[in-house]
Amino acid sequence: MSAETSAVAGQFTRRRLQFRAWRGTRPFWAGLFIIIGGVPIMYFPYAHLTIGQLTIRMSTTAGAGSLIIGVLLVVLGISLWFQKHIRTFAGVAAILLALVSLPVSNFGGFVVGFLFGMIGGAMAIAWVPGTPPEPQAEQTPGSLGGAPESAVTDLTKADDAPARPDADGGPEEPNDMSETSPANGANGRHSVG
């Protein structure tokens, strides 16, 4: 390694992996779609297209409404990134704002902002935090070629208590003395020990 090559490549990889881990714990893509949907909704009513000497203005009478809808969509998208617990509210609000943008803001930013807002809102509602992966159990050499664990019966647990029929005629569960189930009437009050 020469003096010119620094740890930039390693730092870039580390930052990329940190961003990937951060992105995986929140509705990142839903927020991005909502932000992308808000930009054309608030931009097109104030846009001036100049072709040579001809200026085309697309401003509407509800330009302020378009600006408010677009800014709210951008704020909802950013808040989804940093406050993932509001995902349902932000998703529903983004869908409602995208629907309102159809009549207010040049058909929802020429339908582009409307579609991005609707898809982002639906993604925000559908997003659910993942569960951490469970640690894998190490296999012992004896269990590699044998029967599956579910097929092996545990012979140390014998059911010594006789089954008594209950009111429905089916067998009743044995009396559990573990002090955990108040349903069987032996939750520690009459048990020995």
Side-chain angles (χ1 to χ4, degrees):
M1 186 177 258
S2 68
E4 287 84 25
T5 58
S6 62
V8 173
Q11 185 177 7
F12 174 75
T13 303
R14 184 171 50 89
R15 296 286 183 193
R16 184 180 58 84
L17 292 175
Q18 285 176 345
F19 175 70
R20 185 178 182 185
W22 176 82
R23 188 185 70 199
T25 60
R26 59 201 71 245
F28 175 79
W29 293 108
L32 185 65
F33 272 49
I34 292 173
I35 291 170
I36 291 172
V39 169
I41 290 174
M42 71 178 156
Y43 173 74
F44 285 137
Y46 294 101
H48 302 287
L49 181 63
T50 304
I51 303 172
Q53 297 293 328
L54 181 65
T55 301
I56 301 172
R57 294 183 183 177
M58 294 183 242
S59 58
T60 62
T61 58
S66 300
L67 184 64
I68 290 171
I69 290 171
V71 168
L72 284 175
L73 283 173
V74 170
V75 168
L76 285 172
I78 291 172
S79 64
L80 272 174
W81 288 349
F82 297 106
Q83 296 181 1
K84 58 187 172 185
H85 60 276
I86 65 161
R87 66 185 186 277
T88 305
F89 167 75
V92 170
I95 288 174
L96 290 175
L97 286 170
L99 285 171
V100 168
S101 75
L102 278 174
V104 172
S105 175
N106 294 334
F107 295 112
F110 296 116
V111 184
V112 174
F114 166 72
L115 288 177
F116 273 105
M118 291 292 285
I119 292 170
M123 288 170 65
I125 293 171
W127 185 82
V128 177
T131 57
E134 296 179 10
Q136 298 291 329
E138 294 183 22
Q139 293 185 353
T140 58
S143 67
L144 291 177
E149 290 181 25
S150 62
V152 178
T153 58
D154 191 6
L155 298 177
T156 59
K157 295 180 181 176
D159 218 8
D160 295 334
R164 292 171 285 173
D166 62 354
D168 297 336
E172 185 182 38
E173 292 293 321
N175 197 4
D176 182 20
M177 300 301 251
S178 65
E179 301 182 11
T180 58
S181 175
N184 59 12
N187 57 353
R189 191 167 139 190
H190 300 291
S191 65
V192 178

